[in-house]
């Protein structure tokens, strides 16, 4: 698939199966990520690539985050939380390592990392790898950030789930740029 086709037809895939991306494909995705625009060249992006049993460590963090929010969570709820780390063969945790008190504000640094995530999603789509960008409470929890090795000032931008599409990709929404165009008042 060519890049313009990927840009105009990309969709997420919420059901992902083995195999995950190969080492070469992961390298390609990460090289695409670090070509994202980045005001001030602060290089705020950080990536934790989790595959196989490494995902269980993320499951531990998901359970810890749940228990912080719901200390009484029963064993079934805890298991569901842990299993969220096993929903795809590969998960890339993408974090903005924020440089504080800098002329480039934190929101711009976060957007640069968001652009890095989108670059990975597009590259994945172009080479036939399914991808799903997830966040949720795990993106804003100081406990989760700390267990991932980051500080409260940092921002988890994505848990990027990657793998082989296990369901047919959904059809494109009936959407047109004109719906979003505005004129100056
Ligand atoms: C910053 C961000 C966070 C997201 N977090 C979630 C999430 O936690 N759970 C979810 O189901 N979708 C989440 N999404 C949306 C999906 O990844 C997906 O983009 C959306 O369902 C639209 O589908 P499409 O990408 O196929 O157009 C998030 C998207 C963005 C940009």
């Amino acid at each position: 698939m060519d890049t313009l086709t990927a840009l105009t037809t990309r969709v997420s895939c919420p059901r992902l199966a083995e195999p995950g991306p190969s080492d070469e494909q992961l390298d390609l995705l990460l090289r695409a990520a670090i070509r994202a625009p980045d005001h001030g060249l602060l290089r705020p992006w950080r990536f934790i690539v989790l595959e196989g049993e490494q995902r269980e460590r993320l499951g531990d963090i998901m359970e810890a985050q749940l228990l912080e929010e719901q200390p009484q969570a029963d064993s079934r709820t805890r298991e569901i939380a842990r299993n969220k780390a096993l929903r795809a063969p590969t998960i890339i945790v993408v974090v903005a390592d924020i440089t504080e008190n800098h002329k480039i504000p934190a929101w711009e640094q976060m957007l640069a990392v968001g652009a890095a995530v989108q670059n990975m999603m597009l590259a994945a789509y172009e080479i036939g790898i399914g991808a799903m960008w997830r966040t949720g409470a795990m993106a804003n929890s100081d406990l989760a950030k700390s267990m991932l090795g980051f500080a409260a000032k940092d921002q988890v931008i994505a848990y990027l789930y990657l793998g082989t599409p296990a369901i047919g990709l959904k059809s494109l929404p009936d959407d047109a740029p004109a719906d979003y165009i505005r004129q100056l008042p």
Side-chain angles (χ1 to χ4, degrees):
M1 186 189 300
D2 67 276
T3 300
L4 282 177
T5 303
L7 276 164
T8 50
T9 66
R10 180 212 60 81
V11 286
S12 303
C13 185
R15 299 272 173 271
L16 298 161
E18 299 282 352
S22 66
D23 288 348
E24 292 73 23
Q25 288 172 325
L26 275 173
D27 181 62
L28 176 69
L29 300 192
L30 292 166
R31 280 190 287 121
I34 65 170
R35 280 311 311 137
D38 166 24
H39 193 181
L41 300 181
L42 291 174
R43 296 294 185 258
W45 33 71
R46 304 289 178 267
F47 309 99
I48 304 174
V49 180
L50 300 167
E51 300 170 287
E53 290 178 7
Q54 298 161 328
R55 296 171 302 164
E56 287 167 24
R57 300 264 311 274
L58 180 62
D60 294 340
I61 300 172
M62 288 176 161
E63 183 180 17
Q65 188 278 325
L66 169 77
L67 288 174
E68 190 186 41
E69 228 174 47
Q70 298 175 40
Q72 314 299 335
D74 61 21
S75 58
R76 176 82 190 115
T77 311
R78 290 165 65 163
E79 193 188 335
I80 290 170
R82 296 185 62 82
N83 283 340
K84 286 184 180 171
L86 304 175
R87 285 195 288 196
T90 305
I91 301 174
I92 305 182
V93 186
V94 188
V95 183
D97 183 340
I98 299 296
T99 302
E100 294 181 296
N101 306 313
H102 193 280
K103 66 177 181 178
I104 310 297
W107 71 267
E108 292 195 15
Q109 298 177 47
M110 291 183 214
L111 281 185
V113 181
V117 175
Q118 176 68 353
N119 275 7
M120 285 196 280
M121 292 196 78
L122 283 165
Y125 183 73
E126 191 168 325
I127 61 176
I129 295 167
M132 182 82 190
W133 183 339
R134 295 184 187 276
T135 47
M138 276 287 290
N140 290 308
S141 151
D142 287 351
L143 174 66
K145 289 181 201 176
S146 145
M147 291 180 80
L148 289 163
F150 292 89
K153 71 170 176 64
D154 300 323
Q155 178 64 52
V156 178
I157 300 294
Y159 293 89
L160 184 60
Y161 287 67
L162 297 166
T164 303
I167 51 172
L169 294 180
K170 65 188 175 197
S171 47
L172 293 176
D174 183 16
D175 221 357
D179 295 344
Y180 310 103
I181 303 290
R182 298 290 181 272
Q183 306 300 328
L184 286 175

